Each structure stands twice: as C-alpha cells, then as structure tokens.
Amino acid sequence: MSAEITYPDFEKVDIRVGTIVETEAFPEARKPAFKLKIDFGPEIGIKKSSAQITVHYTLDKLIGRQVLAVVNFPPRQIGPFRSEVLTLGFADANGDIVLAAVERDVPNGEKMC
C-alpha cells in the first residue's frame, strides 16, 4: 500500500471520463502499445494517450469505449509520441492491463467524484 494522503491531495488528481474516438498501432513503443485519441467533451477536448493494452483489446473494439484518465499530468514524450493524458487500468493476474471504465455511459469530461 502507498503512503497515506489527505483528501486535498486526492482532489489534485483530475480523473475524467472520455470516449475513445481514434486508435492507431504504436510499433515504435518499447512495450506493445496503442495510440488513442480520447474525447473529453467541450471543456477539455480531444487528447492523445499511449496505452499498453494490446493483450485484451483490439484497435477496432476500442472505438466508442469510455475510459478513465488523469487529465492534469504534464504531457509525456514516449518515443516519437506525446501522450497528453494517463489512461487508467489495472494489471490482471498475468500483468496485462485491463482498462478502468464506467459501468454506464456518462457525459464526456465528467469528473470523478
């Protein structure tokens, strides 16, 4: 378990829901990954993310899927790609990533509360 934090610390992490609108293979990545474009609604817009989710997902099946992401980390350069948000997931028993998602559709850009 990580060190204990306060609620104000948690409030600093801006986790939003968005819909994947475009996907692309990312063969230049060190570990197998996809490039995603995620629509976070009119306030935030469409942001790019690199996600190591190639075991459980295919590019075409990701389109239209809602995911959770941290939208207020600074962008991160991953090889030739600039990732603007951190798409959230959990490692399964084999260490492969399973996306964190909402159980029902919610408006793009909705903040986790």
Side-chain angles (χ1 to χ4, degrees):
M1 195 164 108
S2 298
E4 190 173 274
I5 64 171
T6 64
Y7 192 77
D9 290 333
F10 173 72
E11 288 181 311
K12 293 177 185 175
V13 181
D14 193 354
I15 299 172
R16 304 282 180 126
V17 66
T19 300
I20 298 173
V21 294
E22 191 176 317
T23 60
E24 186 180 334
F26 190 8
E28 306 91 350
R30 278 187 309 201
K31 294 182 181 178
F34 294 146
K35 296 177 187 178
L36 309 175
K37 285 190 180 175
I38 306 169
D39 182 358
F40 291 99
E43 179 185 341
I44 297 171
I46 294 175
K47 298 291 182 180
K48 298 181 293 182
S49 182
S50 170
Q52 296 173 357
I53 56 173
T54 59
V55 172
H56 294 298
Y57 306 95
T58 59
L59 293 171
D60 60 324
K61 299 281 187 194
L62 287 166
I63 303 290
R65 182 184 188 97
Q66 285 198 304
V67 294
L68 300 175
V70 176
V71 298
N72 65 333
F73 281 154
R76 185 172 177 197
Q77 194 70 35
I78 302 171
F81 184 73
R82 189 169 174 87
S83 187
E84 301 172 309
V85 299
L86 175 65
T87 304
L88 300 177
F90 298 91
D92 67 11
N94 295 319
D96 300 315
I97 302 303
V98 176
L99 289 169
V102 292
E103 136 180 67
R104 294 191 174 98
D105 285 347
V106 296
N108 286 337
E110 189 66 29
K111 186 173 181 174
M112 190 170 106
C113 52

